[in-house]
Amino acid sequence: MNKGRFLFRSLFFYRKTHLWVVLGTMMSTAILVGALVIGDSVRHSLRKIVFDRLGTTEFALSSGDRFFQVRMADDLAESLNTTVAPLLQTRGIAIAEGGQRRVNDIQVIGVDSRFGEMGGIKERFGQLAPDEAIVNRSLASRLNIRENDEILLRMEKRDVMPKDAPLSLDSDSSLARRFLVKSIAADSALGKFNLRSDQLTPSTVFVSLHFLSKEMGFEGRANVLLVAEKAEASLDLQGVNDALKKAWTLSDAGLELRNIPGRNMVELRSNRIFLAPPVAAAAQEYGKGAQPVLTYFVNELRRGDRATPYSFVSAPGSPLIPPGMKDDEILINGWLAQDLNANVGDQIELTYYILGLGRELQEKKSGFRIIDVVPLEGIYADRDLLPDFPGLSGEENCRDWDPGIPIDLEKIRDKDEEYWDDFRGTPKAFVTLDKARALWANRFGDLTAVRFSISDQAEVESFLINKLDPSDLGFVFRDVKKEGLRASSQSVNFSQLFLGLSFFIIVAALLLTSLLFVFNTENRSEENGLLRALGFSRKAVKWAVLREGAVLVVLGSLLGGVVGVLYNGIILSALKTVWRGAVGTSALHIHFRFSSLLIGVSIGVAVAFFTIWLATWRQIKRPITGLQRGLAKVETIEKKRPNTSLIIGLVSWAALLIILVVADFGRGDQAFLFFFLAGTLFLIGGMAFTRVLLYMLGKNTDAVRLSNVNIGIRNNARKHTRSITLIGLLACGLFIVFTVGANRLNALKDSERRDSGTGGFALFGESSIPILYDLDSQKGTQLYGLDAINSDDVKYVPFRVKEGDDASCLNLNRVTHPQLIGVMPAELAARKSFTFADMSGEIDPENPWMVLDKKLPDGMIPAVADLSVIVWGLGKSVGDVLTYSDEKGKTFPVKLVGGLANSVFQGNIIVSEKTLIQKYPSISGYRIFLVDAPPEKVTTVADRLSWALQDQGLDLTLASTRLAEFNTVQNTYLSIFLILGSFGLLLGSVGLGVVVWRNVNERRGELALLRAVGYNKKSIQAILLSEHVALLVVGILFGIIAALLAVLPTFLTPGAGIPYPTILIILVIVSLNGIIWTFSAALLATKEDLIPALRKE
Amino acid sequence: MKMLLELKNIAKKYDIPSGQGYTTVLKDISMQVSSGESIAIVGPSGSGKSTLLNIMGALDKPSSGVVSLFGKNLAECDDTELSRIRNQEIGFIFQLHHLLPQCTVLENVLIPTIPLGLKKRDRDGEVQERAKKLLDRVGLGNHREYFPAQLSGGEMQRVAVVRALINKPKLVLADEPTGSLDKDSSENLGRLLVGMNKEEGTAFITVTHSFDFARLMEKAFKLQNGNLESYVI
């Protein structure tokens, strides 16, 4: 006989009871392992998605509305010795079956064979005819189309000139073409192509790059470059950007150098009319008489009652402008002097448009004193001063003008036509550059040209190329693969999430394990006592018990490891199907690292071992004589006052009171956290006080009050550990179920309220193609045919969009550059829309939205986002700063000053519109709309608006529906929590059953004695029922009160749809379940003949 | 004869669970036990016989007084030393056999050898041989591989006797060893215990209700009202 043999004998002999301990450990470990493996699986799946969506792409450049020559890709490919693919990317709408099915907000990408090389399928993308398209699976399934079907694509017509730039044309913002679906791109064949860090697959159409660029009006140009990774040597970001610096030309940036005929000069101009500030600055640094020029279109030049319509005024500097000319002085040419009958010294007034927000134009006037009348010849007859205004400069006749501003062609006289015929857009007046800049500078620039006193274009180009950095114009590569992998590795931590969601079930499983192990140990207390009597030291006995326990927990945990992987499979299947709302993708694959398995099993072993160690320690601590005689069963009424429990109880409830006093009811997630803590403290305190109460009940030996019920209750005092364990299991389970149930988000409830997540808006719209005009304005109403619905009670709040990553809970990746949206804060402030859940010091709580217009120190831009986006999507908190790059490649800080309670803005960072267009002048039009409409008009408004803006791909949904979509994620997590919590409850019920069964079994002698002394079956049943029902009632009460405390803020928050019926049903089920177990056990106990048990005793 | 056990002014009190005072079980008991002696302690139920036996066997501690076992004051011994004494110097026989149901007869007998930390060779050799001899001696040589559930009450108690003797203790303490047996089994066990007491040369102390069993011992004491008095049966 040795320790090993003794261990083996014991394990084998008690295998039936040990099995339950093994199962308990297996369950807790399986849940632990499952949670860790889910983390591995999600991370692995997201990583795989990165490779699927990028192919071999390592670096990408997206130049937005600047279109470089495709040649640049060739140059870069040669210099980097790898594949470089140019793409032309835009947005659009796909329509199939004659408009029966349409999908908005799709990616339209012009590609050639080089794109195919990124996915190892060169031929497929390189052989696209002009009328052929490849669609990805996502779009094919949404449109229900197959190969050789026809689709209509309406695409945003990209333009070199931002749509909001002064005089930019507002026509042709989209173009529609029909395509034959040549093939469907599988996910593994670049079908998932997406430069954003998102696990969701966008709907994409691939067409011929050559065809698309030609249709857009800039043949041979593109706006995206992909650089493939090199197999033999790695590329670095700096190297790629350096190569770009060598490869780019001025033409790639839309800049042009040209000689001015007849004058020994070279002029730099932009196809965007205004020179971007970095370009203008670099050009002026050239020296050699670099002369900045600003030429502007004025509506009218007036002297008294005589006026000349629609003319150009220029600020060409020296030598046209004489030295010393003042800012309020003007030179006019002879033609104008004659037309206005003006002379030197006369005052004339200029009327012109300046650019407001978006395309908004404000007519302004400015007065000048004529200091000279210059002849319309020589340097003053320079028609090259006129920039290439679209709709103006190329037209044969004035009456053919079609600029992007309102003009009254009726005002154009014959003499104006003649001037146009003879002198085209030659400026009629000249002002100082300072004055011109003061009047006409805008967010696109303050110069229309820079002239150099040199005839060698090459020299100027060389200077500018060296001086300028491509990043100044937004030409900068990003390490998209590294960013994607980082975003996936820092994605939502599903291990932690599921550990959190499974916390109570793990605790329940461990408590059950402990309970079962304690039963086993208690039942074998005589054996342990004997061993002590036979000379085994306390330590030796303890280790004998622990060795046995260790084998059980190791076995249970190993099994748990295997079951955990299976459990992970079930959870993943659920995440891909019934719980898809939480992840939004079915591209999840089982994957586990051995280390996760090892960690899970090790933690399972450690935690379960610790649990049984605690139980053993308490058992072995008992007096040896008691153990040996089996007195442990009847000698558990303690003499020692449970002071520790009393202290824990007092401290917990004192802390609870403090929280209730100091917590700010109904404000933000912190309030929820505080109250959840309050509920937990109530539970802890409740358990501790129950322990004290049981002690007091155990001490109460007043025979006068002895009754069946009292005997039952006193039995609970006798078995205080098991009583508290049971109460704890039940209370925790109910706490979870009730708290989770009450915290479910209901987007419909209170959705009409301004402080709800809809902001009180009826509709939320998102367009694929920007809508250039304010839908409320006269122009917008007319242009889009909204006369029938626009009224005083139908209003729009538009948002500009700077595309970025989706930071909503629908995206599992940890994004760094979420989408920015710009709004006029006054619109939201006036309505007092939405609720701020967290605010920094910069915010005035009375008027929080106006913080967006505030100027913060260090050039920080104030921004607001959903608190859940800030905390979970970005891993930040209110007060933290994000860094963005503006259109000029300069970084700027965005400070998250406020966090909104769950809102329709999830996934976006909100800044003021003014700020957004300052930083991104090329962003034209609006793409997000909140619509106010009275309930009775909502359907009509939605129908008319969707119809009117279908070419812009407006997706209009009820604001409450959009909120519900986001709530789906949270509610899905809550469902998961609820399911796992219910398992906890089930375990609690099983625990109760085990306790009752073991109690009855253990006390057969005791019960037999009661029978022998004359108790009838009913009396014994009453004792057993009162004993266990008391535990049930206390457990349920604690659970309910704790949960009520935890969800108190939810009652005070709009949109909190508390599912009272569900909670009630669960309560009834739990209560019934407990009573059934108890009653069955009581019946069973009294059914058998108990007298033999008495004899054994 | 060498003195093995000495009790000096032993008293034992128990607190009343309700916290209202205490009850005195043993009062100022003194006695000496020498090697090879056989002693019976008789007394009515609840007189404190088992308590006294537990104090002698280092299973319980007196409220006052000194217990010296083999010249050592037990109050000065730590748990390790007390465990060693119980294992190597004392053999216990209880009213209920307390055999481990998961172990065979032979394994049950060998249980007390585990704390000795014997090498496998010794465990398998000399000690096992002794166990087999002792089992043969009590008539259970053919039942070595039986489990307790396959034995009668008397057989189980005989296994418990062998288990008590396996480590060659100098003192064997028996608490109502025949209490759970029928008359015949009781007589057989009594004779066996006395015979083995002589053969092994151990001191033997038993507490018992049975005057027939007590009569087999060399000396007898009566425990009543907490006092121990010499008693002639």
Side-chain angles (χ1 to χ4, degrees):
Chain A
M1 191 64 178
N2 56 31
K3 289 175 189 172
R5 191 166 180 79
F6 179 58
L7 174 65
F8 173 76
R9 287 286 191 202
S10 300
L11 287 170
F12 184 75
F13 186 80
Y14 293 106
R15 60 190 179 280
K16 283 182 187 165
T17 46
H18 284 339
L19 180 68
W20 294 100
V21 177
V22 170
L23 287 177
T25 315
M26 183 188 82
M27 193 172 295
S28 55
T29 306
I31 294 157
L32 270 168
V33 169
L36 294 175
V37 173
I38 285 164
D40 286 353
S41 300
V42 171
R43 262 192 302 275
H44 169 78
S45 303
L46 291 180
R47 191 180 161 81
K48 189 175 175 306
I49 288 171
V50 173
F51 290 99
D52 281 350
R53 69 180 175 82
L54 293 177
T56 57
T57 306
E58 190 166 9
F59 304 99
L61 173 154
S62 184
S63 58
D65 280 332
R66 289 188 189 273
F67 300 90
F68 53 83
Q69 299 172 90
V70 169
R71 168 210 51 77
M72 195 159 83
D74 301 327
D75 294 350
L76 271 175
E78 194 179 334
S79 123
L80 296 171
N81 192 25
T82 186
T83 306
V84 179
L87 313 179
L88 180 55
Q89 189 167 5
T90 187
R91 286 179 296 267
I93 309 148
I95 302 154
E97 287 196 6
Q100 295 292 309
R101 283 189 296 276
R102 48 196 304 140
V103 176
N104 291 329
D105 200 21
I106 63 165
Q107 292 191 111
V108 179
I109 305 178
V111 296
D112 62 14
S113 62
R114 285 170 282 190
F115 177 69
E117 283 179 45
M118 295 295 182
I121 36 172
K122 186 176 177 181
E123 299 74 24
R124 199 168 190 187
F125 289 96
Q127 294 166 353
L128 280 171
D131 61 346
E132 287 178 342
I134 295 173
V135 301
N136 70 352
R137 274 197 182 149
S138 162
L139 182 61
S141 87
R142 290 174 73 189
L143 280 179
N144 192 21
I145 50 171
R146 295 181 201 160
E147 283 182 19
N148 298 319
D149 284 352
E150 194 180 68
I151 55 167
L152 175 69
L153 280 187
R154 180 166 285 282
M155 300 166 276
E156 180 188 1
K157 186 175 181 308
R158 307 304 290 263
D159 207 335
V160 291
M161 197 163 156
K163 290 276 186 280
D164 284 348
L167 293 167
S168 174
L169 298 180
D170 62 355
S171 57
D172 297 335
S173 63
S174 67
L175 56 93
R177 297 288 181 272
R178 291 194 177 276
F179 294 90
L180 191 73
V181 177
K182 187 185 176 193
S183 62
I184 313 284
D187 287 353
S188 56
L190 295 173
K192 279 178 110 69
F193 179 75
N194 185 8
L195 288 176
R196 294 193 214 173
S197 295
D198 200 330
Q199 83 278 8
L200 302 178
T201 306
S203 294
T204 311
V205 176
F206 302 97
V207 297
S208 154
L209 169 63
H210 176 74
F211 172 74
L212 189 63
S213 63
K214 195 174 162 193
E215 292 298 300
M216 293 278 182
F218 35 82
E219 188 176 349
R221 288 183 179 262
N223 63 356
V224 173
L225 272 180
L226 307 180
V227 175
E229 63 196 6
K230 279 169 82 171
E232 66 279 15
S234 64
L235 294 168
D236 67 81
L237 186 62
Q238 186 62 45
V240 175
N241 278 319
D242 287 348
L244 173 70
K245 197 164 167 29
K246 287 177 190 158
W248 82 300
T249 64
L250 293 182
S251 171
D252 291 318
L255 298 170
E256 183 193 5
L257 282 170
R258 64 177 188 177
N259 288 93
I260 302 170
R263 300 179 65 187
N264 193 26
M265 292 184 97
V266 169
E267 183 182 69
L268 172 72
R269 53 170 63 201
S270 166
N271 58 7
R272 296 156 73 97
I273 303 174
F274 292 92
L275 293 173
V279 176
Q284 288 175 84
E285 277 185 42
Y286 181 64
K288 293 186 184 173
Q291 179 58 56
V293 176
L294 173 57
T295 302
Y296 206 73
F297 182 75
V298 298
N299 301 342
E300 187 181 80
L301 294 135
R302 174 176 289 276
R303 192 186 78 81
D305 56 355
R306 301 187 70 149
T308 304
Y310 307 121
S311 308
F312 290 93
V313 175
S314 185
S318 177
L320 284 82
I321 301 295
M325 182 169 148
K326 292 176 183 161
D327 286 349
D328 61 348
E329 294 171 343
I330 194 167
L331 301 176
I332 61 171
N333 67 16
W335 188 94
L336 182 63
Q338 191 181 23
D339 191 35
L340 295 178
N341 193 20
N343 292 306
V344 173
D346 286 346
Q347 281 285 334
I348 61 168
E349 190 178 60
L350 270 61
T351 305
Y352 48 87
Y353 285 124
I354 63 158
L355 194 61
L357 279 174
R359 289 184 67 84
E360 179 201 347
L361 296 169
Q362 296 165 5
E363 199 170 59
K364 298 276 180 183
K365 293 179 192 297
S366 188
F368 291 87
R369 187 171 63 85
I370 301 167
I371 60 161
D372 200 2
V373 176
V374 295
L376 185 49
E377 58 187 33
I379 57 171
Y380 292 106
D382 187 350
R383 60 177 66 183
D384 291 314
L385 286 170
L386 172 67
D388 295 327
F389 286 118
L392 284 180
S393 47
E395 304 301 332
E396 281 300 310
N397 302 299
C398 293
R399 289 192 176 85
D400 297 332
W401 284 355
D402 184 20
I405 54 170
I407 59 169
D408 183 359
L409 293 173
E410 294 298 315
K411 287 185 178 174
I412 296 171
R413 305 159 300 176
D414 290 344
K415 58 161 63 169
D416 298 321
E417 282 286 7
E418 285 165 18
Y419 186 90
W420 184 255
D421 291 342
D422 296 342
F423 306 104
R424 311 300 290 180
T426 304
K428 292 172 184 160
F430 304 90
V431 295
T432 62
L433 185 64
D434 287 346
K435 184 66 176 179
R437 278 175 160 160
L439 297 181
W440 303 316
N442 56 66
R443 58 182 184 267
F444 299 97
D446 59 1
L447 296 179
T448 49
V450 175
R451 292 180 161 190
F452 307 91
S453 304
I454 186 172
S455 58
D456 185 359
Q457 280 186 32
E459 187 185 322
V460 179
E461 171 147 22
S462 168
F463 172 82
L464 287 173
I465 287 289
N466 284 327
K467 195 74 194 169
L468 279 168
D469 192 299
S471 65
D472 293 339
L473 299 163
F475 289 95
V476 61
F477 276 101
R478 282 164 46 216
D479 194 337
V480 285
K481 183 154 284 177
K482 195 183 272 179
E483 285 175 13
L485 291 175
R486 194 188 303 130
S488 70
S489 68
Q490 294 174 355
S491 58
V492 175
N493 190 328
F494 269 69
S495 296
Q496 279 177 13
L497 186 70
F498 268 82
L499 280 177
L501 294 174
S502 317
F503 179 72
F504 281 102
I505 189 174
I506 293 172
V507 170
L510 286 173
L511 282 176
L512 190 61
T513 306
S514 158
L515 207 59
L516 290 162
F517 196 77
V518 167
F519 284 149
N520 289 353
T521 316
E522 268 184 10
N523 274 354
R524 290 167 65 189
S525 60
E526 289 173 25
E527 177 182 320
N528 295 331
L530 176 77
L531 292 177
R532 294 278 283 128
L534 294 180
F536 283 64
S537 65
R538 192 188 296 275
K539 204 171 154 188
V541 173
K542 189 171 125 182
W543 276 108
V545 175
L546 286 180
R547 261 196 300 276
E548 217 169 302
V551 172
L552 300 180
V553 299
V554 168
L555 192 64
S557 295
L558 287 174
L559 282 172
V562 178
V563 176
V565 176
L566 298 175
Y567 165 71
N568 166 65
I570 295 168
I571 294 285
L572 276 187
S573 299
L575 282 173
K576 289 197 275 187
T577 53
V578 288
W579 292 338
R580 189 169 171 164
V583 293
T585 179
S586 58
L588 296 176
H589 311 277
I590 293 184
H591 176 87
F592 60 89
R593 292 178 300 170
F594 181 70
S595 59
S596 299
L597 214 57
L598 195 67
I599 290 169
V601 170
S602 305
I603 293 175
V605 169
V607 173
F609 188 76
F610 178 71
T611 309
I612 64 166
W613 177 81
L614 271 182
T616 311
W617 176 70
R618 293 172 63 86
Q619 281 293 310
I620 304 302
K621 221 173 60 170
R622 290 185 172 149
I624 189 169
T625 47
L627 286 170
Q628 182 257 315
R629 280 194 234 149
L631 289 182
K633 289 179 187 170
V634 293
E635 219 182 42
T636 48
I637 294 177
E638 288 198 330
K639 290 167 197 152
K640 200 179 157 195
R641 187 185 292 275
N643 288 330
T644 313
S645 298
L646 190 66
I647 291 166
I648 291 172
L650 288 171
V651 169
S652 302
W653 282 13
L656 163 67
L657 278 177
I658 292 168
I659 285 177
L660 289 180
V661 171
V662 302
D664 188 0
F665 283 75
R667 260 199 189 282
D669 279 8
Q670 281 179 355
F672 287 99
L673 202 69
F674 270 130
F675 281 88
F676 191 81
L677 186 64
T680 311
L681 284 171
F682 176 82
L683 269 187
I684 295 170
M687 298 296 161
F689 282 130
T690 306
R691 170 85 180 80
V692 177
L693 180 72
L694 288 173
Y695 164 78
M696 289 168 74
L697 281 173
K699 277 198 70 173
N700 179 11
T701 52
D702 184 357
V704 178
R705 297 174 65 190
L706 197 62
S707 65
N708 289 347
V709 172
N710 273 345
I711 289 173
I713 290 171
R714 208 182 287 172
N715 276 333
N716 286 329
R718 211 174 97 184
K719 307 276 182 187
H720 56 83
T721 306
R722 122 181 8 174
S723 302
I724 288 169
T725 308
L726 264 176
I727 293 171
L729 275 169
L730 279 169
C732 286
L734 282 170
F735 179 57
I736 299 163
V737 172
F738 195 3
T739 308
V740 167
N743 272 326
R744 283 181 155 243
L745 298 175
N746 180 355
L748 293 174
K749 195 178 175 210
D750 300 329
S751 63
E752 73 288 352
R753 280 173 56 169
R754 287 290 183 199
D755 61 352
S756 74
T758 63
F761 291 95
L763 298 162
F764 181 96
E766 203 162 6
S767 73
S768 309
I769 295 168
I771 292 165
L772 299 178
Y773 291 96
D774 184 353
L775 299 175
D776 271 331
S777 68
Q778 197 184 355
K779 170 98 180 172
T781 306
Q782 277 175 0
L783 191 68
Y784 303 115
L786 303 176
D787 311 66
I789 53 168
N790 278 3
S791 59
D792 286 344
D793 53 5
V794 176
K795 295 286 170 197
Y796 309 89
V797 177
F799 292 75
R800 288 174 184 272
V801 176
K802 165 61 186 150
E803 287 191 332
D805 295 325
D806 176 15
S808 78
C809 48
L810 298 169
N811 190 356
L812 301 178
N813 294 281
R814 168 61 52 84
V815 302
T816 48
H817 294 96
Q819 179 159 284
L820 287 174
I821 58 174
V823 67
M824 297 270 283
E827 294 279 354
L828 297 173
R831 291 170 168 87
K832 294 190 183 300
S833 285
F834 306 100
T835 297
F836 279 72
D838 197 0
M839 294 186 254
S840 70
E842 286 95 346
I843 290 188
D844 168 13
E846 293 303 312
N847 207 358
W849 280 110
M850 294 316 291
V851 73
L852 296 183
D853 273 347
K854 261 193 180 176
K855 285 200 169 169
L856 301 184
D858 305 323
M860 278 195 282
I861 308 295
V864 168
D866 266 26
L867 194 60
S868 56
V869 168
I870 295 172
V871 176
W872 304 113
L874 302 171
K876 305 267 181 193
S877 49
V878 168
D880 284 351
V881 174
L882 301 173
T883 305
Y884 280 84
S885 289
D886 67 12
E887 214 165 276
K888 296 160 200 158
K890 283 185 186 159
T891 58
F892 64 95
V894 172
K895 185 172 184 184
L896 300 163
V897 291
L900 297 175
N902 278 344
S903 80
V904 290
F905 295 124
Q906 237 196 67
N908 298 292
I909 307 287
I910 310 162
V911 295
S912 84
E913 185 181 353
K914 209 183 289 176
T915 306
L916 194 74
I917 56 177
Q918 263 171 12
K919 297 294 177 188
Y920 303 98
S922 297
I923 293 175
S924 306
Y926 301 94
R927 288 187 52 212
I928 290 177
F929 301 87
L930 290 174
V931 185
D932 263 337
E936 66 277 10
K937 286 189 183 174
V938 170
T939 313
T940 316
V941 169
D943 289 348
R944 290 300 294 259
L945 210 52
S946 297
W947 186 83
L949 295 168
Q950 59 181 324
D951 280 355
Q952 278 72 25
L954 183 71
D955 261 335
L956 212 54
T957 51
L958 289 172
S960 56
T961 306
R962 178 176 166 87
L963 192 60
E965 281 169 18
F966 292 125
N967 289 350
T968 304
V969 176
Q970 186 170 330
N971 285 341
T972 307
Y973 285 136
L974 294 180
S975 294
I976 299 170
F977 195 56
L978 188 65
I979 296 290
L980 298 177
S982 300
F983 273 113
L985 269 184
L986 198 69
L987 283 184
S989 306
V990 174
L992 185 67
V994 172
V995 167
V996 177
W997 172 67
R998 296 299 298 253
N999 259 353
V1000 169
N1001 207 34
E1002 251 174 40
R1003 286 158 53 193
R1004 284 165 62 80
E1006 179 187 322
L1007 299 175
L1009 181 78
L1010 292 177
R1011 288 281 284 137
V1013 299
Y1015 276 62
N1016 60 22
K1017 285 184 180 181
K1018 278 193 177 168
S1019 302
I1020 292 173
Q1021 285 169 5
I1023 290 171
L1024 290 171
L1025 275 175
S1026 58
E1027 184 175 336
H1028 295 103
V1029 170
L1031 296 179
L1032 192 70
V1033 169
V1034 174
I1036 288 174
L1037 276 179
F1038 278 178
I1040 292 174
I1041 297 171
L1044 279 174
L1045 274 172
V1047 301
L1048 207 52
T1050 311
F1051 286 106
L1052 308 170
T1053 304
I1058 296 177
Y1060 297 104
T1062 313
I1063 288 169
L1064 199 67
I1065 289 168
I1066 291 170
L1067 274 179
V1068 170
I1069 290 173
V1070 170
S1071 308
L1072 278 179
N1073 191 42
I1075 289 169
I1076 288 169
W1077 275 106
T1078 309
F1079 196 70
S1080 308
L1083 275 182
L1084 202 70
T1086 48
K1087 195 178 166 188
E1088 287 181 38
D1089 183 7
L1090 289 166
I1091 302 306
L1094 193 59
R1095 275 198 223 106
K1096 276 182 201 168
E1097 197 76 0
Chain B
M1 283 195 292
K2 195 177 170 186
M3 191 167 70
L4 294 180
L5 173 69
E6 185 176 19
L7 305 183
K8 275 187 195 167
N9 312 111
I10 295 297
K12 181 71 178 177
K13 296 166 185 171
Y14 287 112
D15 291 337
I16 294 169
S18 59
Q20 297 160 344
Y22 55 83
T23 178
T24 304
V25 181
L26 303 175
K27 297 175 190 166
D28 198 28
I29 289 175
S30 297
M31 74 180 287
Q32 292 182 338
V33 180
S34 300
S35 59
E37 272 190 302
S38 61
I39 297 169
I41 299 170
V42 295
S45 290
S47 59
K49 300 189 297 293
S50 294
T51 302
L52 181 60
L53 201 72
N54 285 342
I55 288 171
M56 288 175 180
L59 291 174
D60 202 354
K61 287 179 181 170
S63 305
S64 63
V66 176
V67 184
S68 299
L69 202 55
F70 318 113
K72 272 186 188 167
N73 183 350
L74 294 187
E76 292 168 358
C77 296
D78 60 12
D79 183 60
T80 310
E81 180 60 9
L82 288 177
S83 298
R84 192 199 62 75
I85 290 171
R86 282 198 300 269
N87 182 240
Q88 293 171 27
E89 315 287 0
I90 303 174
F92 282 98
I93 302 166
F94 306 102
Q95 180 177 1
L96 290 172
H97 52 82
H98 288 312
L99 295 186
L100 301 184
Q102 66 267 45
C103 297
T104 61
V105 164
L106 182 61
E107 286 170 343
N108 263 294
V109 169
L110 291 172
I111 289 283
T113 66
I114 295 176
L116 294 176
L118 296 176
K119 286 181 181 168
K120 188 175 183 301
R121 190 183 52 199
D122 298 333
R123 213 167 43 223
D124 292 347
E126 189 187 333
V127 175
Q128 214 169 102
E129 276 311 304
R130 176 172 162 75
K132 286 175 184 171
K133 268 186 197 168
L134 286 171
L135 285 171
D136 287 342
R137 169 69 184 82
V138 300
L140 292 171
N142 296 327
H143 292 63
R144 287 199 295 258
E145 299 306 318
Y146 282 35
F147 281 93
Q150 296 168 291
L151 301 179
S152 69
E155 286 171 332
M156 284 194 275
Q157 201 59 312
R158 276 185 272 157
V159 177
V161 169
V162 175
R163 183 179 62 193
L165 295 172
I166 188 69
N167 281 347
K168 298 180 185 170
K170 294 184 180 70
L171 173 64
V172 172
L173 302 173
D175 188 357
E176 303 272 12
T178 59
S180 62
L181 303 178
D182 57 38
K183 200 181 171 202
D184 288 345
S185 301
S186 183
E187 273 181 25
N188 288 337
L189 186 75
R191 285 196 195 92
L192 175 72
L193 283 171
V194 173
M196 295 197 76
N197 161 235
K198 300 293 172 204
E199 285 167 26
E200 297 284 323
T202 56
F204 184 73
I205 304 173
T206 181
V207 297
T208 182
H209 275 105
S210 165
F211 285 103
D212 288 340
F213 184 56
R215 225 174 258 121
L216 297 172
M217 305 298 138
E218 291 170 354
K219 285 185 194 172
F221 290 90
K222 181 175 77 175
L223 187 61
Q224 196 164 21
N225 300 324
N227 296 310
L228 190 69
E229 296 163 11
S230 188
Y231 186 65
V232 180
I233 301 168

